[in-house]
Amino acid sequence: MQSVKFRLNGNPVTLKTDPTRRFLDVLREDLSHTGPKEGCGEGECGACAVLIDGHITNSCILPLGNVDGRDVMTIEGYRETERYRVLEEAYIAEGAVQCGICIPGMIIASESLLHHNPSPTDDEIRIGLSGNLCRCTGYNMIIRAIKRAAERGKGLW
Amino acid sequence: MVSHAIPKTYAEALEILKDGTHRVVAGGTDMMVRNRAWAGLPPAFDKPLLFAFNLPELKYVRVDEKAIYIGSMTDLETLLHHEDTPSLLREVIGEMASPAIRYVSTLAGNIVNASPAADSLLALYALDAQIVLESVEGKRVLPIEKMILGPGKTVLDHDEIIAEIRMPKSSFTHTAFRKVGGRRADAITKVGFIGCAVVDDGIIRDLRLIFNAVAPTLVRVKSVEALHIGHAIEDVLDDIETITHHYAEHINPIDDQRSNRAYRKETALELARHFIKTLQ
């Protein structure tokens, strides 16, 4: 069986396993990274989101074979960054976290958005979050949190 | 047993495809859902897969004075932000899925998936896209409407891969795109429409009307378009109800979980009539 090599949160990983497996299952079961969650399992809810070369991607519909040679960051690696600390403070300050299950995906979506657009408008934030469902907050607090992070973290993105 | 392949180069990929044993997967966003198994089990596929999404030779956007040339593994989010992407295609991509899906979606995947409801195909039909298919035997180039036969069915041979999508440069005085879906993001289209026209001094010089989710393939009927080209817009407007008659045999939607036949048919025709009314 062909091996798949990639970087996970900065560390090289080599796996000999079926490359058609969902990357979400590989992360959670083989690599014990349980930050990405399974919500819908078909790319609609964003709970499984991870960063691939800095871009948000749904790991539940991503075959492992497409991760070969790429740079992956999950919430476990992202939480060690200064940008994460700015987002964490903003999410807490705006009351943007309720039950929490969508939040790893929301943080990944926030990072992907701010990385490509450091000072987004409300509409651009809504587009950036359009693949992430939250059933608690009604989104407004999350949008305010991202605006706050963009202001307080100026220069980080 | 033949196993899945993750080629490092395009030449290696064509060599592996030679025997017709593998199925090419691009981003995989449709295949992974369609072939989904119970939690923890790998998805079930009828053939070993060839993972093509990361092939560097197939990720490019080039332009010259005549056309735009898009490498088949270029993702839709890249196209959305690329300055050379035709504005109509950009408008359509902006309404598709979500950023997380667009980063791993490709036009080639949309073409081979051949969904009657595919949004990107509306733009490819409207812009007269040419599809470049390649195998170790060589290349062939087909217009998009010759490429797609029905839902999930294309003329792609077992040893072929889509290499490139080409669109000739075009300009219009009027364009309209309308996707009718359940929500703004991540919605599969109930019915969709693109209209493009060139109107000069009250005369219709070019007219293209494309519909999706109303038949087994997208609908573009050049013979009906030709009936209007060369005519004064006032004359076409006087006779606008005949469009229902012209498309009667072509617009033939189904009832399904997203919508129903009657709604789709009436909406598709009304979108076309409305577009023509905006041409005056």
Side-chain angles (χ1 to χ4, degrees):
Chain A
M1 189 171 284
Q2 195 164 356
S3 60
V4 177
K5 293 183 183 169
F6 57 95
R7 291 182 81 80
L8 177 59
N9 299 324
N11 303 311
V13 175
T14 303
L15 291 173
K16 262 193 176 329
T17 181
D18 183 344
T20 69
R21 288 176 65 200
R22 307 187 309 167
F23 190 51
L24 176 67
D25 295 333
V26 174
L27 281 173
R28 292 179 60 88
E29 290 164 19
D30 300 22
L31 301 167
S32 302
H33 282 53
T34 53
K37 316 289 184 209
E38 176 155 15
C40 67
E42 51 189 42
E44 290 205 23
C45 80
C48 65
V50 299
L51 296 166
I52 307 278
D53 296 332
H55 307 313
I56 184 171
T57 305
N58 293 319
S59 65
C60 75
I61 51 173
L62 179 68
L64 174 65
N66 275 352
V67 182
D68 191 52
R70 310 287 292 271
D71 202 332
V72 181
M73 187 174 269
T74 66
I75 191 73
E76 285 87 349
Y78 187 62
R79 65 180 294 182
E80 306 300 329
T81 65
E82 184 59 28
R83 290 175 180 181
Y84 170 79
R85 276 183 277 282
V86 171
L87 279 169
E88 182 187 57
E89 185 279 329
Y91 270 63
I92 292 170
E94 295 293 345
V97 181
Q98 290 186 28
C99 91
I101 193 167
C102 73
I103 296 300
M106 286 290 179
I107 294 286
I108 294 294
S110 307
E111 161 59 28
S112 185
L113 169 68
L114 292 171
H115 176 59
H116 297 95
N117 181 358
S119 31
T121 62
D122 278 21
D123 277 353
E124 288 166 343
I125 294 173
R126 285 179 187 278
I127 291 169
L129 298 182
S130 62
N132 293 74
L133 297 182
C134 171
R135 301 286 78 172
C136 305
T137 63
Y139 305 101
N140 289 335
M141 297 88 120
I142 296 175
I143 288 161
R144 283 202 294 270
I146 293 174
K147 286 209 98 134
R148 182 187 176 102
E151 283 159 22
R152 304 220 161 181
K154 237 178 202 23
L156 274 178
W157 279 281
Chain B
M1 193 191 127
V2 186
S3 60
H4 305 293
I6 310 175
K8 297 285 186 233
T9 67
Y10 184 43
E12 192 190 331
L14 291 175
E15 196 57 37
I16 294 166
L17 288 172
K18 189 172 67 177
D19 297 327
T21 48
H22 284 74
R23 181 181 300 286
V24 177
V25 57
T29 58
D30 286 302
M31 281 183 89
M32 291 297 282
V33 174
R34 192 179 319 115
N35 297 286
R36 183 180 176 190
W38 289 100
L41 291 172
F45 294 99
D46 58 342
K47 279 176 149 188
L49 300 186
L50 182 143
F51 294 93
F53 184 66
N54 292 327
L55 288 173
E57 300 94 328
L58 298 179
K59 290 185 184 284
Y60 60 86
V61 179
R62 287 199 279 268
V63 282
D64 62 19
E65 61 284 357
K66 288 183 304 206
I68 178 168
Y69 308 85
I70 300 169
S72 61
M73 295 301 140
T74 308
D75 67 84
L76 295 186
E77 189 72 13
T78 295
L79 287 176
L80 180 62
H81 299 291
H82 200 287
E83 59 177 6
D84 294 318
T85 303
S87 54
L88 196 56
L89 178 59
R90 183 182 299 130
E91 194 183 336
V92 172
I93 291 172
E95 297 279 315
M96 287 174 67
S98 64
I101 294 178
R102 290 197 294 259
Y103 277 120
V104 290
S105 304
T106 61
L107 294 177
N110 293 163
I111 292 166
V112 177
N113 195 48
S115 164
D119 296 320
S120 63
L121 295 183
L122 281 173
L124 297 191
Y125 276 71
L127 298 171
D128 287 332
Q130 301 273 318
I131 316 304
V132 182
L133 308 178
E134 189 163 15
S135 71
V136 284
E137 304 292 326
K139 286 184 184 176
R140 56 182 178 139
V141 184
L142 290 172
I144 182 71
E145 62 269 22
K146 293 265 163 51
M147 177 77 203
I148 294 173
L149 303 173
K153 286 202 179 68
T154 69
V155 300
L156 186 80
D157 267 339
H158 293 297
D159 62 346
E160 283 181 317
I161 183 170
I162 295 181
E164 186 177 272
I165 292 98
R166 298 177 181 163
M167 281 166 269
K169 286 207 169 146
S170 47
S171 64
F172 303 101
T173 53
H174 299 75
T175 61
F177 162 59
R178 185 64 195 267
K179 167 175 174 158
V180 182
R183 65 172 170 129
R184 283 286 301 280
D186 282 339
I188 301 177
T189 296
K190 295 178 183 185
V191 54
F193 170 79
I194 276 183
C196 313
V198 176
V199 179
D200 176 26
D201 210 14
I203 308 291
I204 297 176
R205 299 294 178 194
D206 191 2
L207 182 69
R208 306 177 188 186
L209 307 172
I210 301 94
F211 307 86
N212 70 356
V214 294
T217 64
L218 272 73
V219 172
R220 178 176 176 192
V221 189
K222 291 183 182 173
S223 58
V224 176
E225 295 170 5
L227 295 175
H228 301 84
I229 293 170
H231 291 273
I233 182 67
E234 282 92 26
D235 297 342
V236 171
L237 286 174
D238 285 345
D239 217 15
I240 194 149
E241 290 310 317
T242 59
I243 204 161
T244 308
H245 164 71
H246 291 317
Y247 282 104
E249 62 175 305
H250 304 289
I251 292 185
N252 194 14
I254 58 167
D255 294 323
D256 67 9
Q257 59 183 8
R258 291 196 303 283
S259 187
N260 64 63
R261 177 180 165 80
Y263 175 81
R264 283 177 157 134
K265 184 161 192 167
E266 187 47 37
T267 305
L269 290 167
E270 185 52 32
L271 287 169
R273 284 191 291 256
H274 178 77
F275 174 67
I276 291 169
K277 287 176 192 168
T278 66
L279 298 181
Q280 54 190 328

